[in-house]
């Protein structure tokens, strides 16, 4: 077994929205995109981070006692945590029995990840599920992602790879045979807006998708819809148009915006740039799905 | 068969009336003040008058007075008649010998499945002939008195119905007051009369219907073949019957589906109609269970899964072969083990010819661990010593203290409440001349209800890591903390944060669960009691996870706080998905625990929507069962909904949840139960 390690921020069992059946999703840390609405802000950076959930804090002060840089202070006002001074050594998290402080992101070997993933094989077997690699952007830890996919295939697992599409094409060429379904993101149809909202150009993403499709790779087109950002009729039409260009697409998933990224941002001491704070109404989501479905025969579903 | 069939106008009216009555009563069992008073008066009078008479005759005298004088009537629109809206103030209580002699009714502790099929086939008159063949004696006299009283009771209902102008129902009752039922409605009505009579006699819960779709099928098959009824008529009758079941008892199990001894599927149209009726009428009784074997039809799966998403916490799924294996280990021959029904919550027993005493005795594992720790000196040892000494302690405690107390318990039951009507209905009693409580049934079991396995495992993990592996604390310090209910908050939190808890699918913990549960189950199952009574284990003690007073434990649980439920994880497990929980729990020795190894999973409504959602439930069941799990049930509910219902009960009257082995209206529950359910829902359990 390979010695490659990767930075993993979560392994989510009983994953039922990231590909067919009951799956285990491995979330890798680090992403080259910087989407305004990112719902996994803790996955953006490549390095471990300290998460602090103040509601869980019981003000016991054990963190302050072990912190080498005096980042934690407990007073009558509560618990203040000075991130600027924090070395991210994680010592405080070892002492935090109320789990208010936790390290996000862990260096793991392929073997360690696989031993977790393989535990749910009986569920994959009855449900035609398998493993999904997500992120972050899994292609940003390419060697690790490739090694995980290979190892999973050795165990005859069904593999899904969730990707923003933003990676060199030769890397996709290298792994596409190991991936049963690409969960391929499509965020914004106008190139200029794409660059503004995600921080990266859109053209390469579409090129990669079209080429993967021509190689026979199966895909699900995953489209986050964010009120006031991309909930436009023209974008819905473009989603349909792109889907129609693909011969191996399975379905289109509409992913309605959810504001959970906000609380997650504050836990790791980051600003959340979005002003939209509410879940969209069911009716609204339904109208998005209908708008896309009106222009294509590819099935459109809520993802 | 269309699933779009609607409830009839009659059923809709009755259901609305039930809802109104429920709102007045505000508890999940419907009771009526007038019936309550009458029942208490009759029982007090009869038992006082019979003072000094042999118990079995005293009970028969009571049944006679009950049959002759209990008010009977028919409610508007009813198709199944006979009311069970009464319980005695001493309902279900364990009475001492002195209290029993003072009067008061017996509580025979219910929890039985009588031989409905045999009574239906023979009718009262043939049964009476059989009784005449018994040897002279108190039992014979009492059995005959009880059966005669039963006939009187039915006849009085016939008269009351005639007086009320309901000649159709009057005829149904008249036809079965002596003779065997011939139609499906007569058979169903007979089952209900048996139920009321057992309820009155037993004065306790969980009188269960067993394999309802088997013994009633011959009657229905004939009706359908002759086109005297269609599926809609059957559905209406079943709904009327189920609404009756909401009266006076809270845990009447009814099982459908399953195979015979040769693995041949026994499903039929009635199996499906029962599931459909339960889904559509949406009442909280009877507790519907299904047997899942190798050969479950797609139609059956579909109906069972539709019911599971209807939001009543039903059905309970049982893994047929695993349950059967457990009964066989307890000495039940394969042919009879294959004919098991479910008693009360989760306890399996052969239907009709066993006296299973499924709530025989409770055993609290965390309490035993504490008793052991108090006597264990420690020092200069390692965890292996500690663990093996604990097991030796458990074994001798079980053999020297618990087992003799079980024998005493059984003897007390035998002396205090031989029940003549129940004995007439349980196969084996007439032949042996003994009441069921005296060991008259063909198979006599004794349920050993084991509490707190998850708490025990997590406590052992904590002791191993903190005391023996990491030397963070000494055993003496731990004992002191437990004895004083954790004055040191740091140690408390440290105990709670020990990783690898039971339920997290940790390989070593799984092994411990397997080894420990097997060890405990084998001790219970391998030691028969006198009179051929076989103790059989289940890792479940109804209600005790919430209500038992249990000292603090090394998993960081404080004095009197909740314990793990059923065979599930301890209370401090956080995070693992349901697949990890089920993988862990599947390591239990399910195949030795026919008295019930329950596992509940909470799923969000969003996870089970549509065909994909019901398929998912099926996949979860099939995976868990393929790994050896014995039982699974689902609460399709979000913790937010439960919290909302606790805060504003008036807006959530109809919220029905699985509270344990049965479903109930959430708003009627004790706040401690409500808290436990909210907490479990948050963790997916």
């Amino acid at each position: 077994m390979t010695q490659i390690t990767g930075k993993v921020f979560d392994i989510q069992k009983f994953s039922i929205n990231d590909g067919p059946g009951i799956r285990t999703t491995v979330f890798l840390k680090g992403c080259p995109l910087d989407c305004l609405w990112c719902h996994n802000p803790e996955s953006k950076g490549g390095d471990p981070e300290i998460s602090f959930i103040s509601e869980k804090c019981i003000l016991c002060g054990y963190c302050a006692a072990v912190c080498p840089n005096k980042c934690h202070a407990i007073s009558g006002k509560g618990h203040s945590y000075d991130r600027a001074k924090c070395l991210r050594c994680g010592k405080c998290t070892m002492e935090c029995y109320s789990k208010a402080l936790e390290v996000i992101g862990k260096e793991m070997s392929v073997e360690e990840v696989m031993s977790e993933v393989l535990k749910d094989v009986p569920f994959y077997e009855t449900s035609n599920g398998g493993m999904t690699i997500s992120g972050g952007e899994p292609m940003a830890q390419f060697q690790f992602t490739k090694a995980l996919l290979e190892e999973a295939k050795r165990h005859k697992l069904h593999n899904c790879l969730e990707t923003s599409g933003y990676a060199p094409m030769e890397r996709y060429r290298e792994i596409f045979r190991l991936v049963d379904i690409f969960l391929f993101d499509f965020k914004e149809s106008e190139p200029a807006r794409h660059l503004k909202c995600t921080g990266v150009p859109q053209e390469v993403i579409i090129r990669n998708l079209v080429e993967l499709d021509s190689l026979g790779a199966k895909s699900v087109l995953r489209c986050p819809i964010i009120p006031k950002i991309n909930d436009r009729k023209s974008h819905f039409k473009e989603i349909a148009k792109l889907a129609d260009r693909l011969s191996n697409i399975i379905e289109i998933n509409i992913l309605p915006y959810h504001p959970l990224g906000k609380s997650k941002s504050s836990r790791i001491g980051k600003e959340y740039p979005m002003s939209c704070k509410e879940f969209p109404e069911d009716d609204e989501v339904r109208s998005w799905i209908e708008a896309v479905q009106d222009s294509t025969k590819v099935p459109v579903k809520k993802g | 068969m269309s699933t779009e069939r609607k409830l009839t106008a009659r059923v809709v009216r009755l259901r609305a009336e039930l809802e109104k009555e429920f709102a007045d009563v505000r508890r999940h069992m419907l009771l009526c003040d007038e019936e309550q008073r009458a029942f208490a008066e009759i029982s007090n009078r009869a038992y006082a008058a019979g003072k000094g008479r042999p118990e079995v005759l005293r009970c028969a005298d009571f049944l006679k007075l009950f049959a002759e004088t209990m008010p009977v009537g028919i409610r508007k629109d009813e198709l199944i008649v006979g009311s069970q809206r009464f319980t005695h103030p001493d309902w279900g209580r364990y009475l001492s010998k002195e209290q029993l002699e003072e009067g008061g009714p017996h509580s025979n502790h219910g929890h039985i499945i009588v031989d409905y099929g045999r009574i239906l086939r023979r009718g009262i008159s043939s049964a009476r002939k059989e009784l005449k063949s018994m040897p002279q004696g108190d039992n014979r006299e009492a059995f005959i008195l009880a059966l005669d009283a039963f006939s009187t009771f039915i006849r009085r209902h016939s008269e009351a119905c005639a007086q009320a102008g309901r000649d159709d129902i009057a005829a149904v009752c008249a036809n079965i007051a002596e003779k065997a039922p011939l139609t499906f409605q007569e058979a169903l009505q007979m089952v209900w009369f048996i139920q009321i009579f057992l309820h009155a006699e037993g004065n306790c819960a969980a009188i269960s219907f067993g394999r309802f779709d088997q013994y009633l099928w011959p009657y229905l098959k004939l009706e359908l073949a002759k086109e005297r009824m269609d599926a809609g008529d059957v559905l209406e009758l079943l709904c009327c019957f189920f609404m009756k079941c909401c009266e006076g008892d809270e845990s009447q199990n009814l099982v459908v589906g399953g195979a015979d001894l040769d693995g041949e599927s026994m499903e039929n149209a009635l199996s499906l109609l029962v599931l459909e009726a339960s889904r559509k009428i949406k009442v909280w009784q009877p507790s519907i269970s299904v047997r899942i074997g190798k050969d479950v039809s797609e139609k059956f799966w579909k109906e069972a899964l539709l019911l599971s998403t209807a939001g009543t916490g039903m059905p309970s799924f049982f893994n047929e072969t695993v349950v059967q294996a457990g009964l066989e280990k307890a000495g039940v021959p394969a042919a009879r083990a294959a004919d098991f029904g479910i008693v009360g919550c989760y306890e399996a027993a052969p239907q009709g010819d066993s006296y299973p005493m499924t709530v025989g005795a409770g055993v609290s594992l965390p309490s035993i661990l504490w008793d052991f720790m108090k006597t264990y000196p420690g020092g200069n040892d390692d965890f292996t010593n500690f663990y093996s000494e604990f097991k030796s302690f458990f074994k001798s405690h079980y053999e020297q203290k618990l087992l003799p107390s079980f024998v005493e318990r059984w003897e007390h039951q035998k002396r205090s409440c031989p029940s003549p009507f129940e004995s007439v209905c349980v196969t084996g009693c007439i032949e042996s001349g003994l009441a069921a409580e005296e060991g008259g049934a063909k198979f006599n079991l004794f349920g050993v209800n084991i509490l707190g396995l998850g708490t025990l495992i997590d406590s052992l993990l904590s002791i191993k890591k903190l005391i023996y592996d990491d030397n963070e604390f000494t055993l003496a310090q731990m004992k002191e903390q437990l004895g004083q209910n954790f004055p040191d908050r740091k140690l408390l939190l440290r105990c709670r944060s020990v990783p690898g808890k039971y339920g997290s699918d940790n390989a070593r913990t799984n092994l411990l669960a397997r080894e420990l549960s097997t060890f405990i189950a084998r001790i219970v199952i391998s030691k028969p009691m006198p009179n051929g009574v076989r103790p059989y284990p289940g890792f479940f003690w109804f209600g005790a996870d919430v209500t038992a007073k249990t000292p603090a434990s090394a998993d960081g649980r404080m004095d009197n706080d909740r314990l793990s439920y059923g065979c599930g994880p301890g209370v401090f497990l956080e995070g693992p998905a349901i697949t990890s929980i089920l993988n862990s729990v599947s390591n239990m020795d399910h195949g030795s625990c026919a008295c019930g190894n329950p596992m509940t999973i909470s799923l969000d409504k969003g996870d089970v929507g549509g065909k994909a959602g019901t398929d998912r439930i099926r996949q979860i069941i099939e995976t868990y069962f393929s790994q050896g799990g014995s039982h699974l049930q689902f609460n399709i509910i979000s913790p937010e909904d439960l919290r909302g219902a606790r805060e504003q009960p008036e807006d959530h009257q109809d919220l029905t949840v699985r509270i344990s082995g049965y479903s109930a209206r959430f708003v009627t529950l004790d706040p401690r139960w409500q808290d436990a359910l909210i907490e479990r829902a948050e963790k997916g359990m």
Side-chain angles (χ1 to χ4, degrees), chain B residues 68 72 75 90 323 331 393 440 473 500 506 556 564 596 598 628 655 669 674:
Chain B
E68 287 167 356
V72 298
R75 290 192 182 84
D90 277 333
V323 171
F393 180 89
F473 309 98
N506 173 294
S564 57
L655 182 65
L669 301 175
Q674 295 186 339

Side-chain angles (χ1 to χ4, degrees), chain B residues 372-387:
Chain B
F372 162 70
M373 286 174 77
K374 283 190 290 193
T375 62
Y376 182 72
N380 243 350
D381 61 340
D382 57 20
F383 181 72
T384 314
N385 298 127
F386 179 92
Y387 182 54

Side-chain angles (χ1 to χ4, degrees), chain B residues 495-540:
Chain B
C495 290
R496 289 183 184 180
S497 68
V498 167
K501 289 189 168 34
Y502 176 52
S504 63
D505 203 6
N506 173 294
R508 290 171 66 160
T509 310
N510 288 350
L511 268 180
L512 179 65
R514 182 178 293 261
E515 204 265 337
L516 197 53
S517 63
T518 306
F519 172 77
I520 294 167
R522 299 281 156 87
I523 287 179
V524 172
I525 222 157
S526 65
K527 297 266 183 299
M529 286 158 53
N531 303 304
V533 180
R534 292 291 301 262
Y536 75 136
F539 284 87
F540 168 67

Side-chain angles (χ1 to χ4, degrees), chain B residues 321-330 521-522 525 537 586-594 597 628-630:
Chain B
T321 49
V322 172
V323 171
Q324 278 168 10
L327 284 171
E328 286 179 47
K329 280 189 190 155
R522 299 281 156 87
I525 222 157
S586 68
N587 282 283
M588 291 272 309
D589 185 6
H590 294 287
S592 300
C593 299
N597 266 7
S630 60

Side-chain angles (χ1 to χ4, degrees), chain A residues 114-128:
Chain A
M114 285 314 296
S115 85
E116 276 305 311
V117 171
L118 291 173
K119 283 180 179 175
D120 277 4
V121 163
F123 287 93
Y124 312 150
E125 283 173 353
T126 51
S127 70
N128 294 318

Side-chain angles (χ1 to χ4, degrees), chain B residues 67-81:
Chain B
E68 287 167 356
T69 60
M70 186 71 185
V72 298
I74 179 165
R75 290 192 182 84
K76 195 166 171 283
D77 281 328
E78 280 186 333
L79 292 178
I80 300 292
V81 296

